Amino acid sequence: QVQLVESGGGLVQAGGSLRLSCAASGITFSRYAMGWFRQAPGKEREFVVAINWSGTSTYYADSVKGRFTIARDNAKNTVYLQMDSLKPEDTAVYSCAARAWEITTTPESYASWGQGTRVTVSS
């Protein structure tokens, strides 16, 4: 059974930083691309960033490029999202998702999802 568990969310002031983690179990983690998505209240789920199975390829949404950094540790079955220079508009529930091998930006193509962790950025 696939399980993705996010952690690291919280309340932070604008300009601050948070580091999210997503721990995976029940999959051969090194064969899966991992994505981060977010959903703000009243809005649709939005692609944030993804990393391919080997960590050699990443893709960022324009809204977070230069501020967020994704990384993975296949030995620990964990993907990380370092979020710097946070803005109030980054406030959302952040979820990680897994799909085999390569990156896509569409949530429908990800087979497994975590429950999400809430990030609130105050102005």
Side-chain angles (χ1 to χ4, degrees):
Q1 183 179 358
V2 180
Q3 189 171 18
L4 303 176
V5 180
E6 302 94 337
S7 60
L11 173 64
V12 63
Q13 288 189 332
S17 298
L18 283 174
R19 187 194 195 204
L20 307 184
S21 299
C22 171
S25 60
I27 58 173
T28 304
F29 184 72
S30 60
R31 298 178 182 177
Y32 282 76
M34 300 298 296
W36 284 98
F37 294 79
R38 66 186 182 186
Q39 188 165 21
K43 295 188 176 181
E44 292 189 353
R45 182 176 284 169
E46 174 189 25
F47 171 79
V48 177
V49 61
I51 187 167
N52 75 334
W53 63 278
S54 62
T56 57
S57 178
T58 58
Y59 189 81
Y60 291 85
D62 287 344
S63 58
V64 305
K65 200 172 294 183
R67 299 188 299 120
F68 290 12
T69 304
I70 191 171
R72 67 187 296 155
D73 185 339
N74 285 349
K76 296 182 177 180
N77 289 2
T78 301
V79 62
Y80 304 97
L81 181 62
Q82 178 66 41
M83 306 187 295
D84 298 318
S85 302
L86 282 161
K87 304 175 181 180
E89 51 263 44
D90 295 318
T91 295
V93 174
Y94 285 71
S95 299
C96 65
R99 73 181 303 273
W101 301 116
E102 297 298 340
I103 295 170
T104 71
T105 63
T106 55
E108 294 78 13
S109 64
Y110 286 79
S112 302
W113 290 83
Q115 292 295 318
T117 185
R118 186 173 302 275
V119 172
T120 303
V121 185
S122 62
S123 57

